[in-house]
Amino acid sequence: MTYFTNVDKIKFEGASSKNPFAFKFYNPEEKVGGKTMEEILRYAVSYWHTFTMDGSDPFGAGSMQRPWDQYSGLDLAKARVEASFEFYNKIGVPFFCFHDIDIAPEGDNLRETNKNLDTIVSLIQDHMKDSKAKLLWNTANNFTHPRFVHGAATSSNADVYAYAAAKVKKGLEIGKELGAQNYVFWGGREGYDSLLNTNMKLELDNLARFYQMAIDYAQEIGFDAQFLIEPKPKEPTTHQYDYDVATAHAFLQNYGLEKHFKFNIEANHATLAGHTFEHELHYARINNMLGSVDANQGDPLLGWDTDEFPTDLWSTTLAMYEILQNGGLGRGGLNFDAKVRRASFKPEDLFHAHIAGMDAFAVGLRVAQSLIDDNVLENILDKRYETYTTGIGLEIAQGKTDFHKLEEYALGLGNIQQESGHLELIKATINQYLLQAFAK
Amino acid sequence: MTYFTNVDKIKFEGASSKNPFAFKFYNPEEKVGGKTMEEILRYAVSYWHTFTMDGSDPFGAGSMQRPWDQYSGLDLAKARVEASFEFYNKIGVPFFCFHDIDIAPEGDNLRETNKNLDTIVSLIQDHMKDSKAKLLWNTANNFTHPRFVHGAATSSNADVYAYAAAKVKKGLEIGKELGAQNYVFWGGREGYDSLLNTNMKLELDNLARFYQMAIDYAQEIGFDAQFLIEPKPKEPTTHQYDYDVATAHAFLQNYGLEKHFKFNIEANHATLAGHTFEHELHYARINNMLGSVDANQGDPLLGWDTDEFPTDLWSTTLAMYEILQNGGLGRGGLNFDAKVRRASFKPEDLFHAHIAGMDAFAVGLRVAQSLIDDNVLENILDKRYETYTTGIGLEIAQGKTDFHKLEEYALGLGNIQQESGHLELIKATINQYLLQAFAK
Amino acid sequence: MTYFTNVDKIKFEGASSKNPFAFKFYNPEEKVGGKTMEEILRYAVSYWHTFTMDGSDPFGAGSMQRPWDQYSGLDLAKARVEASFEFYNKIGVPFFCFHDIDIAPEGDNLRETNKNLDTIVSLIQDHMKDSKAKLLWNTANNFTHPRFVHGAATSSNADVYAYAAAKVKKGLEIGKELGAQNYVFWGGREGYDSLLNTNMKLELDNLARFYQMAIDYAQEIGFDAQFLIEPKPKEPTTHQYDYDVATAHAFLQNYGLEKHFKFNIEANHATLAGHTFEHELHYARINNMLGSVDANQGDPLLGWDTDEFPTDLWSTTLAMYEILQNGGLGRGGLNFDAKVRRASFKPEDLFHAHIAGMDAFAVGLRVAQSLIDDNVLENILDKRYETYTTGIGLEIAQGKTDFHKLEEYALGLGNIQQESGHLELIKATINQYLLQAFAK
Amino acid sequence: MTYFTNVDKIKFEGASSKNPFAFKFYNPEEKVGGKTMEEILRYAVSYWHTFTMDGSDPFGAGSMQRPWDQYSGLDLAKARVEASFEFYNKIGVPFFCFHDIDIAPEGDNLRETNKNLDTIVSLIQDHMKDSKAKLLWNTANNFTHPRFVHGAATSSNADVYAYAAAKVKKGLEIGKELGAQNYVFWGGREGYDSLLNTNMKLELDNLARFYQMAIDYAQEIGFDAQFLIEPKPKEPTTHQYDYDVATAHAFLQNYGLEKHFKFNIEANHATLAGHTFEHELHYARINNMLGSVDANQGDPLLGWDTDEFPTDLWSTTLAMYEILQNGGLGRGGLNFDAKVRRASFKPEDLFHAHIAGMDAFAVGLRVAQSLIDDNVLENILDKRYETYTTGIGLEIAQGKTDFHKLEEYALGLGNIQQESGHLELIKATINQYLLQAFAK
Ligand SMILES: [Co+2]
Ligand SMILES: [Co+2]
Ligand SMILES: [Co+2]
Ligand SMILES: [Co+2]
Ligand SMILES: [Co+2]
Ligand SMILES: [Co+2]
Ligand SMILES: [Co+2]
Ligand SMILES: [Co+2]
């Protein structure tokens, strides 16, 4: 069956196209710095936002109009699978991602739930044979059901912990079965609402043990996906344990787990934590822990995760700069963890939104590559830090000095000559690259 | 004397210029929609950020390196005037703006202060004869001196109120003398730190009386400048009375003053108040109160007024869209109430920063004009609200209905057909216009 | 039927009681400043948070365990009514509040919905005969159903506008029937998500016309309730038109509606708008527009409306201070627009939470009355503003001066003597009053 | 010479005292849980806020009126030392803290600066002989002077790095000389304004090397103070490297430095980073890294570090709860890193403010000890996590299980019984303890 009857395969038509169902900037075949856009960008569709969510918000019921609305239960799940592969094909993404309960309904008990999952996973496998789309990552939703009201691997209730473990076990098996490139841990309700009734030490110890068991089990079954932690602050618990990349890094080091994980970094989670998107990417990159990206954007005037499709070209440029500096995303990808606005409720809006996001990151890629080709930022850094390449600076950088030598040197200094940071000029330069990117 | 010895007059060199001392997008002579860029944009330099401020912040001493650093007192004030006209000329702006104490040092008493002002105002007048630069607006700084610790026109101390009045009186006289197009009231410390020791009603009554006296005096001396209120929240008092445009609008209406004022809208003040820049412009525009603009930008991750030079092209586009819809700025202008970062301390950074901002608004102008030329947003609105042009909708819009008729109509309705808001598509369209603006 | 079988009527047992089902500070009969606590505080229960909401959040399904969970449809609605009056009686509140769809399910069309409402309103009326509980206010929920996706009285769709009008018409009729003291307008989705597809002027004009029709209809049917506007920023639309009290005040004045409305002020809405709770109360009070209060509190580290039960004694003290200075709440009341946390899912938590809130405002009342009895803040103000009671200050306050006289006066001033604001001392004093309030 | 001529030694007079110059709740001799309040609370005065700062802010000049205003240069420095010991004695604190440039003026070069320091350190030593006041900690101000415009140990300029090292070297020597209990590293400008011109990896590597040299030098000279890192986000650089405790913990672990440091936790820095004060204390505590506390509070509606004197009794209670659970502060203390408001400019306000803060933490101590004495929160935790003490939960807690066993267990589970978190009840209980604390 065809679900998106009025939309054909989305094609690249170039910057001057007036066709709302065409890419203006994302040309999958086009090479940028030696690889095709498709190879570099590794776009993925989020199953939950595109096929499962209904547009409800804390003040309103579902608004989305979907061509599978007439189904329910397993039939609904099957229709969504069918529609999803039509969508991957038409929008032209190489990857998709899902939580367990996105794809199959929960049964009356765990056994039934797993059976439902088996049915749908098998159906997905069938579709994958005829499709270019692969599984970028899967994960377990251990936060929606009321049993997870106090968390999952950090629940105050041991039964819930066991239940969560069983769901992750199944998730790892599904990942292996579908050839997932990565497996993601997003904290869900791993955090606390109030310290007044929380044993944080026990909860964190339990969380570390949970991760270790997941590592062991993946190894046991030969599932060699990259494990990813996705940090997020403030939602849904008041204090999420994986507040940001640095906090999760502290946790992993504290429990000796840092070699087993990289990070899945979401733009909107970064800004909610008080950081820029590029800061989180950069921090992960210099620690060799940049694994994958949840591509979206927030509203800086709102205090929650709005998961908007990314259209801020400044931000996509700086993000792509980090990704290119990282040598690409490896097994990771750019997953649109983004949802159409509640008022964009037509099926066609799913295409418009993905086109908007895919074009925006394609622009970012082109601008970032130009900056790299011209050594724009590299030259700035080389000049700015050149005092560390000779003399006392080199000794500092090589760890060959001490406070005695440094004091002696400092006592001999006159007025220190400082260079301007020239930030306004740098920003103007990036704007110029942006405006020129598609003018050639 | 020449102060900016290494910089010549900044020229337009086009989008591909590699000259850091050239405009890439701002071409003053170029016509956009029938007027030149210079006529539409009406750029102004802020005296305080460009010639007076030293780069100090709450954690550090002044860092700026200025060619007038060797002077002090009135000599410093005179050097700054000379340098300022060199700067206006080289950067090519038609306007400048100042507070009283930006241009002349305070004396031991009010009489001396006024005398210092007279000296400098006279010098400015001389320079204006040989310059294209005019005074966009002036204002009184009634917040820096410790006498204003509890406010000025809302001080708890009547002596301070009188002193503030005398300073504004002098400001109006100076404005008249220099042919100012506008006179600005920015609240400074008009607000409160805590309600616990504040008589808000008395303070607001006093403020209204203050404004009335200013109106009366301007009329008396035949100073026909547009009066502007510049809203701002949170700084320097915890609760500034002119929190945002709507709050100031409520105040003006409450005291019957709304006919005498328009608004001077600052981008960073808008975002600190929880609004977009364009929201504040739009609100003022539809109330016929958009007077002038303080062009800058904030950092959405920081909670104070960072007064950065504007480089966000999305924001300059939406701002210019409002300004063009307003039929331009009238007597107002685009004043760069923006300061170079503390680490951009070289004189040349003043040029880089203004070029960055002037280019950014020139881009915004071009993109906004293209959107208007193609009726992009107008068509969206016409379609979206078309139900108000016939039938029950027209009756609603004309005020010709009542709850009885509406209920009767509603009882007859089946499922209401809704149109999608298509926000993602609209955003992608604007990005496309942006990237095409200088590609033609 | 009895729903809360394990809980008896909550009694006052005093500050040292260890009974979790007893008031420690709220003693309804106790007189404070000449009236009983019950008369002053006028507590109300919110139907939606207490009887309707299920504990779902954007990341999770409903968690609440309720003794009426076995019912559905109209039976559920009836069970809730019965349970609600048991709750009002046991917790001992004189008032309750509801939206239309809180009390009765929507039917397949407006006519059926109204019929359902009639059934339940009639049932409520029956229960009111045997209960002390009265209707503080009712309102129409014009935001949950997907038809309101673009707003109601500010919808881009005239059919929706008509539908919303019909719902408010019915709401006014219900209010009259049940003897409501007030009728509330909370904006719901009256606002916009993006200016890019919004005709703000038309929407605001339509909203003003809507209010006028509501006023006319209430007058027509002889419903003399106080009309209240409840401001709120940011949720559910990105920019709510009634952002805060000042913004709504500007709107009302702009359309000549200010005589017909007072404000229903919610603590958490105040803080989301960047103001303290007491600021919003104070602003309304000095404009004679303080109508009623939605008593709750937010989490200052989270960026959305958390609607927590109020337990911050500092805040309840300052709120009660404003309310007492207002001469009480008149027809208004203190409505707990507050919900138990998702993890407080037991029926007994509804009692714990209301006890917490009722005790907290009772404490606030006692402290505020003590501050008033001792003229603590009044003395501070009298001293701080005394310069406005004689000489030039009196002339200022009486509007008998002008810029000439003020300048002449200012020229004669030496150093102005300033008084300290002593804010730290004032805060310590309030803490002392708080800690002594129940120590006597 | 006597500086605070109108104020005598502040005495405890009890909760009903009307004397503004008396403690109402802080009774240094009184025992709480076996130790005196003085021993537990270990209060310290911040030299910078109390003796050095002048009340200037980004919008205004200094407002403070100080009895040493007539002095300048070294004379001013000496007067402040004399005044400081009078203040320590009169307010009755056992500790003080300073940055190098708080106590002595910078000279024309480092050698002179050090000489000035020697002069003043010697004077401080003299005063310490006759005073109970000890040095809680000292630190180097490596952020105010323009040479630190790009940071100090993370400067882009190696000369600045050397200069900073020399200043810390001197600081360690001074600390040893004066018997400091701790040495503090607050990041100052260790961070970045923009990633566009920042080599974050080099800067962090350099910072780690800097710390190692400091550790080595302290060991060399036999200075056995506890080293403390004070995290802070957002100010003065846009991204401070020591954003919060977890971020600094990640850094320390990453460079193998975690054994050498504990944390100095400031309340206002916690909230700026999106955490509660108690969260930061708790995180440090469970990692055995809670070293010392900067006691103040912020304004949750403002986005910068307001450094207000702490008066929020809820917050002081939860902070003291963490401190008592930590077994006290060890070598650390409660340092009032707090400044009187700009409008509280009289010398007497310094006393009022410290009394307010010292009383507030004394109240917090009493309430926290009562909660501990009655096992209020301990009982809640024991019950809430009891499933981890037997059966599958105990196996989880002991690390004796795996995903196979957990899945098997989960498959056998029916509906999981959940306990309510009862947060509203817990909050009401704490309010009750607070209101009863001084009622006995
Ligand atoms: Co995500
Ligand atoms: Co998200
Ligand atoms: Co401005
Ligand atoms: Co500003
Ligand atoms: Co409310
Ligand atoms: Co609310
Ligand atoms: Co501090
Ligand atoms: Co601080």
PDB file of all heavy atoms in Angstrom, chain D residues 190-202:
ATOM      1  N   GLU D 190      39.261  31.433  33.055  1.00  0.00           N
ATOM      2  CA  GLU D 190      39.638  30.149  32.452  1.00  0.00           C
ATOM      3  C   GLU D 190      38.409  29.583  31.751  1.00  0.00           C
ATOM      4  O   GLU D 190      37.548  28.953  32.376  1.00  0.00           O
ATOM      5  CB  GLU D 190      40.163  29.171  33.510  1.00  0.00           C
ATOM      6  CG  GLU D 190      41.191  29.730  34.476  1.00  0.00           C
ATOM      7  CD  GLU D 190      42.499  30.205  33.884  1.00  0.00           C
ATOM      8  OE1 GLU D 190      42.554  30.512  32.684  1.00  0.00           O
ATOM      9  OE2 GLU D 190      43.478  30.297  34.646  1.00  0.00           O
ATOM     10  N   GLY D 191      38.331  29.832  30.481  1.00  0.00           N
ATOM     11  CA  GLY D 191      37.179  29.435  29.686  1.00  0.00           C
ATOM     12  C   GLY D 191      37.324  30.114  28.337  1.00  0.00           C
ATOM     13  O   GLY D 191      38.413  30.569  27.984  1.00  0.00           O
ATOM     14  N   TYR D 192      36.217  30.177  27.596  1.00  0.00           N
ATOM     15  CA  TYR D 192      36.327  30.831  26.297  1.00  0.00           C
ATOM     16  C   TYR D 192      35.087  31.656  26.007  1.00  0.00           C
ATOM     17  O   TYR D 192      34.019  31.405  26.550  1.00  0.00           O
ATOM     18  CB  TYR D 192      36.553  29.798  25.186  1.00  0.00           C
ATOM     19  CG  TYR D 192      35.407  28.830  24.957  1.00  0.00           C
ATOM     20  CD1 TYR D 192      34.277  29.212  24.221  1.00  0.00           C
ATOM     21  CD2 TYR D 192      35.454  27.541  25.455  1.00  0.00           C
ATOM     22  CE1 TYR D 192      33.224  28.328  24.015  1.00  0.00           C
ATOM     23  CE2 TYR D 192      34.401  26.652  25.247  1.00  0.00           C
ATOM     24  CZ  TYR D 192      33.290  27.056  24.527  1.00  0.00           C
ATOM     25  OH  TYR D 192      32.247  26.198  24.318  1.00  0.00           O
ATOM     26  N   ASP D 193      35.260  32.645  25.155  1.00  0.00           N
ATOM     27  CA  ASP D 193      34.123  33.443  24.718  1.00  0.00           C
ATOM     28  C   ASP D 193      33.494  32.865  23.461  1.00  0.00           C
ATOM     29  O   ASP D 193      32.298  32.986  23.243  1.00  0.00           O
ATOM     30  CB  ASP D 193      34.563  34.888  24.469  1.00  0.00           C
ATOM     31  CG  ASP D 193      34.753  35.627  25.775  1.00  0.00           C
ATOM     32  OD1 ASP D 193      34.019  35.307  26.729  1.00  0.00           O
ATOM     33  OD2 ASP D 193      35.639  36.482  25.862  1.00  0.00           O
ATOM     34  N   SER D 194      34.325  32.278  22.635  1.00  0.00           N
ATOM     35  CA  SER D 194      33.819  31.664  21.414  1.00  0.00           C
ATOM     36  C   SER D 194      34.750  30.526  21.022  1.00  0.00           C
ATOM     37  O   SER D 194      35.977  30.669  21.079  1.00  0.00           O
ATOM     38  CB  SER D 194      33.776  32.704  20.287  1.00  0.00           C
ATOM     39  OG  SER D 194      33.535  32.062  19.049  1.00  0.00           O
ATOM     40  N   LEU D 195      34.182  29.424  20.605  1.00  0.00           N
ATOM     41  CA  LEU D 195      35.000  28.318  20.114  1.00  0.00           C
ATOM     42  C   LEU D 195      35.743  28.695  18.835  1.00  0.00           C
ATOM     43  O   LEU D 195      36.740  28.061  18.480  1.00  0.00           O
ATOM     44  CB  LEU D 195      34.121  27.093  19.827  1.00  0.00           C
ATOM     45  CG  LEU D 195      33.823  26.146  20.989  1.00  0.00           C
ATOM     46  CD1 LEU D 195      32.960  24.997  20.506  1.00  0.00           C
ATOM     47  CD2 LEU D 195      35.124  25.606  21.596  1.00  0.00           C
ATOM     48  N   LEU D 196      35.247  29.727  18.134  1.00  0.00           N
ATOM     49  CA  LEU D 196      35.794  30.056  16.817  1.00  0.00           C
ATOM     50  C   LEU D 196      37.270  30.422  16.862  1.00  0.00           C
ATOM     51  O   LEU D 196      37.978  30.250  15.872  1.00  0.00           O
ATOM     52  CB  LEU D 196      34.996  31.207  16.184  1.00  0.00           C
ATOM     53  CG  LEU D 196      33.542  30.868  15.866  1.00  0.00           C
ATOM     54  CD1 LEU D 196      32.778  32.123  15.473  1.00  0.00           C
ATOM     55  CD2 LEU D 196      33.468  29.818  14.759  1.00  0.00           C
ATOM     56  N   ASN D 197      37.717  30.955  18.001  1.00  0.00           N
ATOM     57  CA  ASN D 197      39.140  31.287  18.091  1.00  0.00           C
ATOM     58  C   ASN D 197      39.817  30.612  19.288  1.00  0.00           C
ATOM     59  O   ASN D 197      40.777  31.148  19.838  1.00  0.00           O
ATOM     60  CB  ASN D 197      39.347  32.820  18.099  1.00  0.00           C
ATOM     61  CG  ASN D 197      38.660  33.487  19.266  1.00  0.00           C
ATOM     62  OD1 ASN D 197      38.129  32.825  20.144  1.00  0.00           O
ATOM     63  ND2 ASN D 197      38.676  34.804  19.282  1.00  0.00           N
ATOM     64  N   THR D 198      39.304  29.428  19.657  1.00  0.00           N
ATOM     65  CA  THR D 198      39.799  28.759  20.867  1.00  0.00           C
ATOM     66  C   THR D 198      40.331  27.359  20.578  1.00  0.00           C
ATOM     67  O   THR D 198      39.676  26.565  19.907  1.00  0.00           O
ATOM     68  CB  THR D 198      38.657  28.673  21.908  1.00  0.00           C
ATOM     69  OG1 THR D 198      38.239  29.987  22.235  1.00  0.00           O
ATOM     70  CG2 THR D 198      39.123  27.955  23.171  1.00  0.00           C
ATOM     71  N   ASN D 199      41.508  27.084  21.118  1.00  0.00           N
ATOM     72  CA  ASN D 199      42.059  25.724  21.098  1.00  0.00           C
ATOM     73  C   ASN D 199      41.806  25.117  22.471  1.00  0.00           C
ATOM     74  O   ASN D 199      42.645  25.180  23.371  1.00  0.00           O
ATOM     75  CB  ASN D 199      43.554  25.770  20.786  1.00  0.00           C
ATOM     76  CG  ASN D 199      44.128  24.373  20.618  1.00  0.00           C
ATOM     77  OD1 ASN D 199      43.585  23.402  21.148  1.00  0.00           O
ATOM     78  ND2 ASN D 199      45.227  24.267  19.890  1.00  0.00           N
ATOM     79  N   MET D 200      40.645  24.552  22.628  1.00  0.00           N
ATOM     80  CA  MET D 200      40.190  24.088  23.943  1.00  0.00           C
ATOM     81  C   MET D 200      41.085  22.968  24.477  1.00  0.00           C
ATOM     82  O   MET D 200      41.390  22.925  25.671  1.00  0.00           O
ATOM     83  CB  MET D 200      38.747  23.598  23.811  1.00  0.00           C
ATOM     84  CG  MET D 200      38.085  23.225  25.120  1.00  0.00           C
ATOM     85  SD  MET D 200      36.278  23.109  24.855  1.00  0.00           S
ATOM     86  CE  MET D 200      35.878  21.799  26.026  1.00  0.00           C
ATOM     87  N   LYS D 201      41.487  22.071  23.612  1.00  0.00           N
ATOM     88  CA  LYS D 201      42.332  20.956  24.059  1.00  0.00           C
ATOM     89  C   LYS D 201      43.645  21.471  24.626  1.00  0.00           C
ATOM     90  O   LYS D 201      44.053  21.072  25.728  1.00  0.00           O
ATOM     91  CB  LYS D 201      42.599  20.040  22.851  1.00  0.00           C
ATOM     92  CG  LYS D 201      43.509  18.849  23.128  1.00  0.00           C
ATOM     93  CD  LYS D 201      42.797  17.775  23.912  1.00  0.00           C
ATOM     94  CE  LYS D 201      43.580  16.468  23.937  1.00  0.00           C
ATOM     95  NZ  LYS D 201      44.874  16.570  24.625  1.00  0.00           N
ATOM     96  N   LEU D 202      44.312  22.370  23.929  1.00  0.00           N
ATOM     97  CA  LEU D 202      45.571  22.922  24.433  1.00  0.00           C
ATOM     98  C   LEU D 202      45.343  23.662  25.741  1.00  0.00           C
ATOM     99  O   LEU D 202      46.117  23.525  26.694  1.00  0.00           O
ATOM    100  CB  LEU D 202      46.176  23.873  23.385  1.00  0.00           C
ATOM    101  CG  LEU D 202      47.432  24.628  23.843  1.00  0.00           C
ATOM    102  CD1 LEU D 202      48.560  23.668  24.197  1.00  0.00           C
ATOM    103  CD2 LEU D 202      47.901  25.615  22.756  1.00  0.00           C
TER     104      LEU D 202
END
